[in-house]
Amino acid sequence: MAGIGSSNYWEDLRKQARQLENELDLKLVSFSKLCTSYSSSRDGRRGDTLDTTPLLNNSTQDRMFDTMSVEIEQLLAKLTGVNDKMAEYTNTPGTASLNAALMHTLQRHRDILQDYTHEFHKTKGNFLAIREREDLLGSVRKDIETYKTGSGVNNRRTELFLKEHEHLRNSDRLMDDTISIAMSTKENMTSQRGMLKSIHSRVNTLANRFPTINNLIQRINLRKRRDSLILGTVVGVCTILLLLYAFH
């Protein structure tokens, strides 16, 4: 009966070991896919210059990575405990006849545990290396974009300053041209005024020297005034008549 009980205990340990190994195998496959998808999403973001991939994806993957790491570590710890119990069982009295077969089975489970542990730490190390590298590259890209943005702002400011400076230079040039034209016009008017004064002086001189010409000029002026008065009178009368006709 004791042998049967010991055999059942050994089979229970083997069953627990196989169950944990199956769970670990599935977890490690999902864990490897998670790391691969994380790397692929990072590569996609690296090729996207506009950086339109939401940051939530990577944050979610980071949380999934941490959760799955804890779960796998717990499963490895449980499998290690089962293997230790199996090793203790092989040292119990009454199992000497079966010791070779038990040790072979135990060694196989230990090898599986070692392979899973090695695979887990390798995958986890690759994931952490990728995340650290991509975080560093992301920081560098952010610094470059910040520098480019700052340079763009400085370039736009410089361009605006240059345009404003050119506008001021054009305004100064226009004012200089206007002042030059005004000075030239003033000089021409001064010259014409001098010529008119000279002509008027000569006419007065001729009129004083030749009284007949002076009288003739006076008569001409009187006739011009008279004609102007007559013309004004006629225009006024015609205007009044037109108004009367219009309002009649």
Side-chain angles (χ1 to χ4, degrees):
M1 294 295 293
I4 295 175
S6 299
S7 177
N8 291 336
Y9 178 71
W10 175 259
E11 289 300 325
D12 289 339
L13 291 176
R14 288 189 61 189
K15 185 182 296 184
Q16 293 178 25
R18 286 195 296 269
Q19 182 178 355
L20 290 172
E21 288 168 358
N22 290 333
E23 291 181 12
L24 276 169
D25 186 63
L26 295 175
K27 287 288 185 180
L28 287 173
V29 171
S30 300
F31 191 64
S32 178
K33 290 181 179 179
L34 174 64
C35 296
T36 303
S37 64
Y38 184 88
S39 177
S40 300
S41 66
R42 287 284 187 165
D43 292 338
R45 289 189 61 198
R46 188 188 309 171
D48 188 359
T49 56
L50 295 179
D51 197 13
T52 57
T53 304
L55 295 176
L56 180 60
N57 292 340
N58 290 318
S59 299
T60 303
Q61 287 178 327
D62 289 336
R63 290 195 295 269
M64 292 178 62
F65 169 80
D66 294 335
T67 302
M68 294 185 68
S69 295
V70 172
E71 292 176 352
I72 293 174
E73 288 174 350
Q74 291 176 350
L75 290 174
L76 290 173
K78 290 180 180 180
L79 184 58
T80 301
V82 172
N83 284 346
D84 292 340
K85 290 180 181 179
M86 294 175 69
E88 292 176 359
Y89 177 79
T90 59
N91 295 324
T92 57
T95 60
S97 60
L98 302 174
N99 193 46
L102 296 178
M103 290 301 297
H104 176 74
T105 302
L106 175 61
Q107 186 61 41
R108 186 166 59 85
H109 285 295
R110 282 177 173 176
D111 291 340
I112 294 174
L113 174 61
Q114 184 177 1
D115 291 340
Y116 285 162
T117 302
H118 176 73
E119 182 180 353
F120 168 68
H121 289 299
K122 180 180 178 181
T123 305
K124 182 178 180 180
N126 291 337
F127 183 93
L128 294 175
I130 292 172
R131 184 168 65 180
E132 182 179 0
R133 181 187 63 194
E134 293 299 332
D135 288 342
L136 179 60
L137 291 176
S139 177
V140 172
R141 286 196 297 269
K142 183 178 179 181
D143 293 339
I144 292 174
E145 291 298 327
T146 302
Y147 175 77
K148 287 182 179 180
T149 303
S151 299
V153 172
N154 292 331
N155 290 335
R156 287 194 293 272
R157 289 178 178 176
T158 303
E159 184 178 355
L160 290 174
F161 288 150
L162 291 175
K163 287 183 178 179
E164 185 66 20
H165 180 66
E166 184 65 22
H167 178 70
L168 292 174
R169 288 184 61 187
N170 292 333
S171 299
D172 292 339
R173 190 180 302 111
L174 181 61
M175 291 179 63
D176 292 338
D177 294 339
T178 303
I179 292 173
S180 298
I181 294 172
M183 294 296 294
S184 178
T185 303
K186 181 181 178 181
E187 292 177 356
N188 291 331
M189 291 180 66
T190 302
S191 177
Q192 291 178 5
R193 183 179 179 184
M195 292 176 62
L196 291 174
K197 285 184 177 181
S198 178
I199 293 172
H200 183 69
S201 178
R202 290 181 182 179
V203 170
N204 289 332
T205 301
L206 290 174
N208 291 328
R209 288 184 179 180
F210 302 98
T212 304
I213 296 176
N214 189 20
N215 293 331
L216 180 61
I217 292 174
Q218 290 179 358
R219 290 179 182 178
I220 292 172
N221 290 331
L222 289 174
R223 183 170 293 180
K224 287 175 63 177
R225 291 177 183 176
R226 185 185 63 186
D227 293 341
S228 297
L229 290 174
I230 294 172
L231 181 61
T233 302
V234 172
V235 171
V237 171
C238 291
T239 302
I240 293 172
L241 292 176
L242 289 172
L243 292 173
L244 291 175
Y245 178 77
F247 291 102
H248 181 64

